[in-house]
Amino acid sequence: MSLGDLKELLVSNSHGINEEYTRIFHGRGNTYEGYRFLTVDSVDKVLFAVLFEPCDEEDAIVSILRDFFCAEGKWEALVVQQRYLPSSPSSVIEGEFPNETYAIENGLKYRINFLNAQNIGFFPDMKLGREFVRDHAQGKKVLNLFSYTCSFSVAAISGGAVSVVNVDMNKNVLSVGRENHRLNALDTKKVEFMPYNILKSWSRIRKEGPYDLIIIDPPSFQKGSFAATSDYEKIIRRLHEFAAEECIVLSALNAPELNSGFIKTLFCDNAPEFRYVERLKNLDSFPEKEEERSLKNLVFKKEP
């Protein structure tokens, strides 16, 4: 793939985009040879590019992005993040950064932070997972483990959930999560925000149960707090303590080195009362050369 090919893809993939969060170029899936280090997103009023690795063509890529930004005229600012540098700095390359910018998905808004964080606070590849939760939340008590900024909770409450318990050890991201509910005029009286280490707080989590819908969406590795290879099993083993009789579990994993069989085996060995139902599709805008290295959203249902 050449720089010319990249330019053509940006133009063709931007047709029909609107205010909704859209991945315009996804190199991370190894489907575009030589450009695994690059992603480009349309985020409301911002064209947002991330460089995950240093590259000899970086200046040329930024030039192409600048020309694309100016020619399209769809955004107010071009922001480029150099993820490979310490603190992952982001810079406004063209335009003026808007006062208010949100990740918008299915009409719901989520607070994001472009300029002072490694992650902006929203993971767009999880769109179909949030749609699944919204579509299955009606009348249910929901547990959202590793809730981060609570996008699953927003989807659940908008879908008619009776209540949602969000658990994440980071108080700051839970504060953003609370704001995400307010942004969408959702009743936070139905929502609880628990700033706890999940692996050390089972009794507190169990107290609010049993839960009809459980979301498990951990980081693949977070130094000092969670490693999927050793800690995911600890969660599955505890499910029987707080799952309702007909509980649905959305079990997510975004570790390229672990395939979907890893999760299926954990359920088979540690929670056999849960039957595997399906693996949710991934968005076409996130192409992956090897499907098992992509995001894995697996659905399990407890048999009464």
Side-chain angles (χ1 to χ4, degrees):
M1 179 173 163
S2 67
L3 288 170
D5 295 329
L6 172 62
K7 186 174 182 178
E8 290 180 7
L9 277 170
L10 291 173
V11 173
S12 63
N13 291 346
S14 66
H15 291 158
I17 64 171
N18 50 32
E19 63 181 8
E20 295 244 335
Y21 200 123
T22 304
R23 175 66 45 103
I24 299 176
F25 180 81
H26 183 70
R28 301 294 286 165
N30 287 309
T31 53
Y32 301 110
E33 186 175 354
Y35 288 84
R36 183 186 180 280
F37 58 86
L38 177 66
T39 62
V40 183
D41 294 332
S42 174
V43 192
D44 194 5
K45 304 166 188 174
V46 173
L47 180 64
F48 180 52
V50 180
L51 297 161
F52 289 85
E53 300 170 10
C55 170
D56 292 339
E57 293 182 328
E58 182 169 324
D59 289 344
I61 290 171
V62 172
S63 179
I64 285 174
L65 290 169
R66 182 184 283 114
D67 291 345
F68 172 64
F69 168 84
C70 294
E72 292 292 324
K74 297 176 180 178
W75 305 279
E76 294 181 15
L78 166 62
V79 175
V80 175
Q81 182 185 50
Q82 293 169 298
R83 186 74 170 266
Y84 59 87
L85 292 178
S87 76
S88 302
S90 294
S91 303
V92 178
I93 305 299
E94 282 286 342
E96 294 186 9
F97 196 78
N99 291 329
E100 292 185 342
T101 301
Y102 306 101
I104 301 174
E105 179 184 274
N106 293 326
L108 296 170
K109 292 183 177 181
Y110 301 91
R111 181 76 66 186
I112 49 178
N113 180 2
F114 283 109
L115 303 180
N116 300 304
Q118 183 181 72
N119 293 313
I120 65 173
F122 183 79
F123 294 107
D125 57 345
M126 192 56 84
K127 179 178 181 178
L128 299 183
R130 283 184 286 269
E131 289 182 359
F132 176 87
V133 168
R134 180 199 62 197
D135 294 344
H136 291 81
Q138 180 67 42
K140 290 184 170 61
K141 295 179 67 174
V142 180
L143 173 62
N144 184 18
L145 298 176
F146 305 95
S147 61
Y148 194 47
T149 54
C150 306
S151 62
F152 275 117
S153 180
V154 170
I157 291 295
S158 68
V162 171
S163 63
V164 180
V165 172
N166 296 290
V167 190
D168 197 292
M169 65 188 301
N170 188 329
K171 291 183 179 180
N172 292 331
V173 296
L174 287 176
S175 295
V176 176
R178 193 183 300 273
E179 177 62 19
N180 281 336
H181 289 78
R182 292 173 179 156
L183 271 176
N184 295 285
L186 299 174
D187 186 2
T188 54
K189 292 178 182 178
K190 298 180 179 180
V191 187
E192 192 163 351
F193 304 89
M194 293 187 179
Y196 303 141
N197 183 326
I198 292 166
L199 300 179
K200 299 179 180 179
S201 307
W202 298 118
S203 61
R204 184 67 184 88
I205 295 169
R206 187 168 54 245
K207 185 178 179 181
E208 303 299 322
Y211 303 96
D212 308 296
L213 176 58
I214 298 174
I215 302 128
I216 309 170
D217 183 23
S220 58
F221 179 79
Q222 197 168 68
K223 188 176 180 179
S225 62
F226 191 87
T229 50
S230 57
D231 293 328
Y232 213 128
E233 178 179 354
K234 298 173 184 177
I235 299 170
I236 307 304
R237 194 185 304 149
R238 293 272 191 166
L239 283 177
H240 71 278
E241 299 179 16
F242 43 80
E245 282 303 309
E246 297 187 18
C247 178
I248 296 172
V249 174
L250 176 62
S251 184
L253 181 66
N254 206 1
E257 70 278 9
L258 298 174
N259 61 28
S260 55
F262 171 76
I263 295 294
K264 292 178 182 178
T265 299
L266 289 184
F267 272 82
C268 183
D269 292 346
N270 299 282
E273 67 274 24
F274 282 87
R275 173 178 58 86
Y276 171 69
V277 177
E278 64 175 325
R279 177 180 175 181
L280 302 184
K281 285 181 56 181
N282 286 322
L283 293 168
D284 292 338
S285 53
F286 288 77
E288 177 64 53
K289 185 176 181 180
E290 299 178 46
E291 183 61 23
E292 280 297 330
R293 293 182 62 83
S294 66
L295 171 65
K296 292 160 277 283
N297 277 323
L298 275 60
V299 178
F300 295 84
K301 185 172 183 179
K302 187 178 180 183
E303 299 290 358

